[in-house]
Amino acid sequence: MNASSITSPATGMAPLLQTQDITKRFQGLVSVNHVSFDLNDGEILALIGPNGAGKTTLVNLISGTLPPSEGELRFQGTRIDTLPTYRRARLGIARTFQVMKPFRDLTALDNVATAALFGQRGGATTRQAAREDARKWLDFTGLGHRADQRADALGGPDLKRLELAKALAQRPKLLLLDEVMAGLNAVEIDEVVEVIKQIRDSGVTILIVEHVMKAVRSLADRVVVLHHGELIAQGNAETVFQDPRVVEAYLGKRRA
Amino acid sequence: MRPRFVILLVAVTALLAIVPIVGSPVMVQFGISTLLFAVLAQSWNIIGGFTGYPSFGNSVFYGLGVYGTAIAMAKFSLPFGVGLVCGAILAMLCALLIGLPVLRLRGQYFAIATLGLSVAMAAVFSNIEIAGANIGLILPLTRADGMFYELSLGLLVACVLCVFWISRSRFGMGLIAIREDEHAAASMGVNTTLYKTMALVLSALFTSIAGGIHAYFITFVDPASAFDSTLNVRMVIMTVFGGPGTVLGPVVGAFVLSAVYELLANWISTAAALLFGVVIVVAVIFMPRGIADLAAGIRRQGISYLLQNIRRYRL
């Protein structure tokens, strides 16, 4: 695949995000190893792989939390791998954190309002407008009834919703969801799946890192599999799940 | 903010403003130092309370304000106002220069780095000829305590208005986001480096003007008292006592603690410092989030708020 081509052959549209030979080394350990893939406008791409495969590292590289050791990242055709995190956020890249990072001293509403004040350019400019925006996103993620509670009073599932509401309030073009379903029960997972579908339908491109395979099947247009930092398979969910290398990565080599 | 509360604040300010007319000279002098402490606490609040960076470098900004004013007036015979501007520019430049490297450190590392700076500054100024080396400088004597008082009050009002603006603005929300979680703040689009540096520069501005006023008021400066790190400790104590990250907490904290200390010193001068320490320890145990939170907590749940704090913070 020619990663530097501007139009992707699958859709004929310009990819929103291109990663080309992206690599991250921590001293001796190669966490992400020459990974290249495109993320097309409007799709949901699931990033899966066993624990320690480098999924969260890859999200950190895209969002700017970590600088890459090698490789290029392009967002809407322009290089972003040398931009600081906040500049990428202003271009329209929002993320949630697997280890949730709520603003504990603030109410849920002010958590989201802060995101609405910043995020992509052209959003709310006053605190009042930001709070109105925030209420909308809290309702959307099912947290409206807890808007005035401090974040440190919220439990795990509600904190996941708060992370999502904060990311959405940034009005992103690209949303990076790092295990937003971990720790949720079956009913809550179905709710979040519905919310994510609605987000996609509103025109946001989504990269999800997820261990809940049921959710991956029902959401992902395409799946990318990482193992030991390397991209070992990509394609639609059914094909990828039957790929022998993927089965081996998850279950180990079958010994005769 | 409710209109009635605004009227109350204006009335308190007006009352404070007439103290030099009706009060005794001792009261005016006590007033000057209390008002300046309130400015120092409020300035520290910008970087320590809102941004969450426990600065021990504010005594450096104070000292630069002191020396900027003193050198301009004693060595170049410039007017007081020009001296204040010199001190403020010096301090803000310093905040800019040290902010870029030092604000990359967090928590205790930031505290230690800035503490080191204030110790180093005293040594540096002891060796600068134009600053009077380790002997110090004498400023022209002015008997105008009323003027110093009103200047201090004016500075405090300006400082409080600035913090009020911060608490309502996008800038302030960005600072709070940095305090709460810097990675999350950056990933939602807050230019953390710029915001932190601006907070430190603003803090330096008000701190240095307070230093300049104090220098002219006492007419003598030397390195040890200009770069006194215990002054920085008092800024922290007053802010934390009043309520860090609130608009009026640090001012109330400075007023209450100054009054308590003065009363203790009058009543039992030998043990005043000891009792003052006890007051602080008790305050930290029962109201670790300051007077501002205490007021809200008591209204919400009465006296059990005090006990709940002990449980909540596992003391």
Side-chain angles (χ1 to χ4, degrees):
Chain A
M1 189 181 67
N2 182 3
S4 63
S5 68
I6 297 301
T7 53
S8 95
T11 60
M13 290 173 67
L16 186 68
L17 179 83
Q18 295 168 285
T19 79
Q20 192 187 340
D21 281 332
I22 203 83
T23 299
K24 181 65 187 178
R25 279 184 286 268
F26 295 103
Q27 269 109 38
L29 180 79
V30 184
S31 176
V32 174
N33 195 359
H34 294 283
V35 168
S36 305
F37 66 88
D38 285 2
L39 187 51
N40 298 317
D41 218 342
E43 77 175 338
I44 297 181
L45 181 73
L47 184 58
I48 65 168
N51 285 329
K55 306 183 295 293
T56 294
T57 304
L58 190 52
V59 169
N60 284 337
L61 292 171
I62 296 172
S63 74
T65 311
L66 289 174
S69 310
E70 267 178 55
E72 286 182 13
L73 286 171
R74 283 171 198 277
F75 185 69
Q76 297 185 304
T78 46
R79 282 281 292 270
I80 58 163
D81 45 276
T82 52
L83 295 182
T85 309
Y86 80 93
R87 292 273 302 274
R88 301 190 202 187
R90 289 184 186 178
L91 289 174
I93 300 176
R95 70 169 295 183
T96 64
F97 287 90
Q98 181 187 9
V99 180
M100 296 162 285
K101 295 178 177 293
F103 301 151
R104 295 192 177 277
D105 254 8
L106 306 186
T107 61
L109 188 71
D110 278 342
N111 262 274
V112 183
T114 308
L117 272 177
F118 291 91
Q120 200 191 159
R121 283 178 196 281
T125 50
T126 66
R127 220 166 52 151
Q128 192 54 38
R131 283 195 172 142
E132 280 161 26
D133 243 25
R135 205 166 280 283
K136 198 179 72 190
W137 291 117
L138 284 173
D139 286 337
F140 180 70
T141 52
L143 207 54
H145 62 293
R146 309 205 66 175
D148 297 321
Q149 299 206 0
R150 281 164 48 110
D152 61 7
L154 300 180
D158 281 344
L159 284 176
K160 291 279 183 193
R161 292 192 179 94
L162 184 64
E163 282 282 314
L164 188 57
K166 279 165 90 168
L168 288 171
Q170 294 170 47
R171 305 165 304 282
K173 295 190 183 96
L174 170 61
L175 183 58
L176 311 170
L177 300 177
D178 196 356
E179 297 208 18
V180 283
M181 296 180 207
L184 301 189
N185 65 35
V187 178
E188 289 164 339
I189 286 173
D190 288 344
E191 284 169 11
V192 174
V193 165
E194 276 318 301
V195 167
I196 292 175
K197 280 182 179 162
Q198 287 178 46
I199 298 168
R200 189 258 313 271
D201 293 344
S202 72
V204 179
T205 306
I206 300 171
L207 179 76
I208 54 169
V209 173
E210 202 48 74
H211 277 299
V212 180
M213 287 307 147
K214 193 180 85 169
V216 171
R217 274 180 212 274
S218 66
L219 281 173
D221 298 310
R222 280 193 306 137
V223 177
V224 164
V225 189
L226 284 189
H227 184 43
H228 293 321
E230 285 174 33
L231 194 159
I232 58 167
Q234 61 175 323
N236 70 49
E238 292 319 314
T239 325
V240 163
F241 288 153
Q242 277 156 26
D243 190 309
R245 280 168 304 176
V246 176
V247 175
E248 188 188 308
Y250 271 93
L251 301 177
K253 214 181 194 101
R254 186 169 296 153
R255 285 166 209 278
Chain B
M1 211 190 288
R2 280 157 300 169
R4 205 182 295 173
F5 191 60
V6 175
I7 293 169
L8 179 74
L9 283 181
V10 172
V12 169
T13 310
L15 269 177
L16 286 174
I18 60 167
V19 165
I21 303 167
V22 298
S24 65
V26 175
M27 198 162 165
V28 173
Q29 288 185 1
F30 169 70
I32 293 168
S33 83
T34 305
L35 290 169
L36 290 179
F37 269 125
V39 172
L40 294 180
Q42 187 68 289
S43 310
W44 190 87
N45 188 31
I46 298 173
I47 185 71
F50 278 90
T51 323
Y53 274 75
S55 165
F56 281 88
N58 277 36
S59 55
V60 171
F61 308 142
Y62 179 85
L64 289 174
V66 165
Y67 268 104
T69 307
I71 293 171
M73 292 180 75
K75 292 283 173 180
F76 297 98
S77 308
L78 291 166
F80 177 46
V82 178
L84 286 182
V85 173
C86 292
I89 289 174
L90 215 57
M92 282 163 42
L93 278 177
C94 174
L96 203 63
L97 283 178
I98 66 162
L100 289 172
V102 173
L103 283 168
R104 302 175 79 93
L105 306 170
R106 287 184 205 174
Q108 63 268 49
Y109 302 105
F110 175 79
I112 291 167
T114 50
L115 186 62
L117 204 67
S118 81
V119 176
M121 270 301 181
V124 168
F125 271 76
S126 301
N127 290 293
I128 297 180
E129 210 50 57
I130 200 172
N134 47 14
I135 297 159
L137 290 173
I138 295 170
L139 283 80
L141 186 66
T142 320
R143 295 203 172 277
D145 284 2
M147 188 256 312
F148 288 120
Y149 182 95
E150 300 299 351
L151 259 183
S152 307
L153 181 61
L155 181 63
L156 179 59
V157 170
C159 191
V160 170
L161 286 176
C162 175
V163 171
F164 176 70
W165 167 77
I166 287 174
S167 76
R168 301 256 149 166
S169 67
R170 185 170 179 270
F171 174 62
M173 290 290 258
L175 296 185
I176 292 170
I178 289 169
R179 176 188 75 200
E180 295 293 314
D181 194 301
E182 200 160 334
H183 279 305
S187 79
M188 64 172 53
V190 180
N191 185 348
T192 50
T193 308
L194 177 71
Y195 275 43
K196 287 186 293 187
T197 310
M198 276 170 62
L200 194 65
V201 168
L202 262 182
S203 187
L205 169 66
F206 291 108
T207 306
S208 62
I209 295 178
I213 293 174
H214 195 250
Y216 193 26
F217 171 56
I218 59 167
T219 70
F220 175 72
V221 306
D222 70 312
S225 61
F227 297 100
D228 179 7
S229 54
T230 61
L231 184 69
N232 204 121
V233 174
R234 292 182 75 166
M235 300 178 200
V236 179
I237 291 173
M238 287 170 167
T239 308
V240 172
F241 184 85
T246 64
V247 178
L248 291 175
V251 178
V252 175
F255 284 5
V256 170
L257 287 183
S258 293
V260 167
Y261 191 80
E262 202 63 24
L263 288 175
L264 287 175
N266 284 338
W267 175 50
I268 173 167
S269 55
T270 46
L274 176 72
L275 287 176
F276 190 66
V278 172
V279 169
I280 304 231
V281 170
V282 170
V284 168
I285 290 174
F286 286 105
M287 35 177 262
R289 301 176 66 86
I291 294 174
D293 193 63
L294 175 80
I298 293 277
R299 208 177 309 141
R300 204 167 52 235
Q301 51 195 144
I303 211 77
S304 68
Y305 164 83
L306 299 177
L307 298 174
Q308 204 165 350
N309 269 331
I310 296 179
R311 215 171 305 138
R312 191 191 309 171
Y313 296 98
R314 297 178 190 279
L315 291 167

